[in-house]
Amino acid sequence: MAFVEFRDVRKIYTMGEVEVAALDGMTFEIERGELVVIVGPSGSGKTTLLNMLGGMDSCTSGDIRLDGRLVSGFSDKELVQYRRHDVGFVFQFYNLVQNLTALENVELAAQICKNPLPAEEVLELVGLGHRMDNFPAQLSGGEQQRVAIARALAKNPKLLLCDEPTGALDYKTGKAILKLLQETCENTGRTVVLVTHNSAFCAIANRVIHVKEGRAGAVEINEHPASAEVIDW
Ligand SMILES: Nc1ncnc2c1ncn2[C@@H]1O[C@H](COP(=O)(O)OP(=O)(O)OP(=O)(O)O)[C@@H](O)[C@H]1O
Ligand SMILES: [Mg+2]
């Protein structure tokens, strides 16, 4: 059994009389420790599938499994525990608490977990050991995203889920964040899932899953992924 499994997952949003199939029978697998890029055009269902995998919303039908557990069968109470302990999220716009310092933002997330990593250590790891006492507004976009990655990692999650993590950053900063995510995967053995519309990111992944109109299509396995440093877009 694969580490992550999506089996014929559907998510229907109903707006008045209109039904939108954001996920329309999505099936794919991810192995433990992989850096996975999920790529597809705007509206193809990338954020929706990440929300389902992260237990932030439930699917209409189908099976979602992580590490042998049926996430799509969880009760609301189980979902709270799952979001707390098993997954870390990184969003396009960081979502930091503005009136807490970098260190406090990371500590806040660590506090609710069973086996958190020390907040200072994780901030060192993302290269922000010297900016721990700064507030988000005092940090650049790239630095704020590093805090957000530290916050997710401090939870010591099974899965790191990233939704367009470089979307708000310039080219050079975006590349540095990709490199950090790639190193995180290589050095900690953590499974990292990155969704993007930028097909240039595919080269750095162990596994690439192409999505289109709510379905997963071709899957590519890169035996020798490129370093984030050498890709161009
Ligand atoms: N809460 C919602 N209510 C109704 N429709 C929704 C909702 N969320 C998403 N959708 C629809 O589901 C489809 C997939 O949306 P999703 O946000 O997953 O796309 P995406 O691939 O993340 O796009 P982008 O690259 O622009 O972020 C779209 O047609 C969208 O309009
Ligand atoms: Mg999206």
Side-chain angles (χ1 to χ4, degrees):
M1 183 182 283
F3 186 57
V4 172
E5 289 188 359
F6 261 55
R7 286 274 166 270
D8 202 18
V9 176
R10 285 169 63 79
K11 175 65 179 179
I12 312 287
Y13 290 111
T14 310
M15 293 177 297
E17 300 193 340
V18 183
E19 288 195 339
V20 178
L23 301 185
D24 195 13
M26 187 167 279
T27 297
F28 64 80
E29 293 181 350
I30 291 172
E31 296 296 344
R32 193 191 294 267
E34 286 182 331
L35 171 61
V36 180
V37 166
I38 298 182
V39 65
S42 182
S44 57
K46 303 184 299 294
T47 296
T48 306
L49 85 84
L50 218 55
N51 286 345
M52 308 285 122
L53 181 53
M56 292 203 279
D57 201 356
S58 51
C59 55
T60 308
S61 64
D63 291 344
I64 299 173
R65 286 192 167 78
L66 173 72
D67 207 5
R69 295 162 76 208
L70 187 65
V71 175
S72 51
F74 282 170
S75 66
D76 286 348
K77 215 170 151 190
E78 287 170 319
L79 281 175
V80 172
Q81 296 302 313
Y82 174 71
R83 285 194 297 268
R84 250 182 220 185
H85 302 302
D86 295 322
V87 284
F89 291 98
V90 177
F91 303 95
Q92 180 173 357
F93 295 108
Y94 332 129
N95 294 5
L96 300 175
V97 183
Q98 292 299 316
N99 58 354
L100 298 181
T101 64
L103 182 62
E104 289 164 345
N105 263 282
V106 178
E107 283 172 344
L108 184 67
Q111 270 165 21
I112 62 167
C113 298
K114 277 184 285 202
N115 302 307
L117 304 173
E120 287 94 345
E121 234 170 73
V122 187
L123 279 162
E124 293 278 357
L125 184 82
V126 301
L128 280 184
H130 59 304
R131 304 301 297 272
M132 286 196 242
D133 297 325
N134 285 109
F135 291 94
Q138 299 170 318
L139 300 171
S140 71
E143 287 164 346
Q144 289 185 59
Q145 192 61 301
R146 284 173 191 272
V147 176
I149 292 170
R151 176 181 61 183
L153 288 176
K155 292 172 65 183
N156 204 359
K158 287 188 174 167
L159 203 54
L160 187 62
L161 302 177
C162 314
D163 194 352
E164 298 279 5
T166 67
L169 303 172
D170 64 38
Y171 179 78
K172 196 166 154 246
T173 315
K175 237 175 159 171
I177 292 297
L178 279 188
K179 183 163 176 263
L180 174 62
L181 291 172
Q182 191 174 37
E183 285 169 356
T184 299
C185 181
E186 282 167 4
N187 300 340
T188 67
R190 212 169 288 284
T191 311
V192 178
V193 181
L194 195 166
V195 313
T196 181
H197 61 268
N198 190 344
S199 50
F201 295 4
C202 297
I204 71 166
N206 300 111
R207 179 186 299 262
V208 181
I209 300 169
H210 294 267
V211 297
K212 201 177 154 188
E213 296 174 356
R215 288 166 166 264
V219 174
E220 293 154 36
I221 305 290
N222 287 332
E223 295 297 341
H224 303 287
S227 158
E229 271 163 320
V230 305
I231 62 165
D232 267 316
W233 66 89

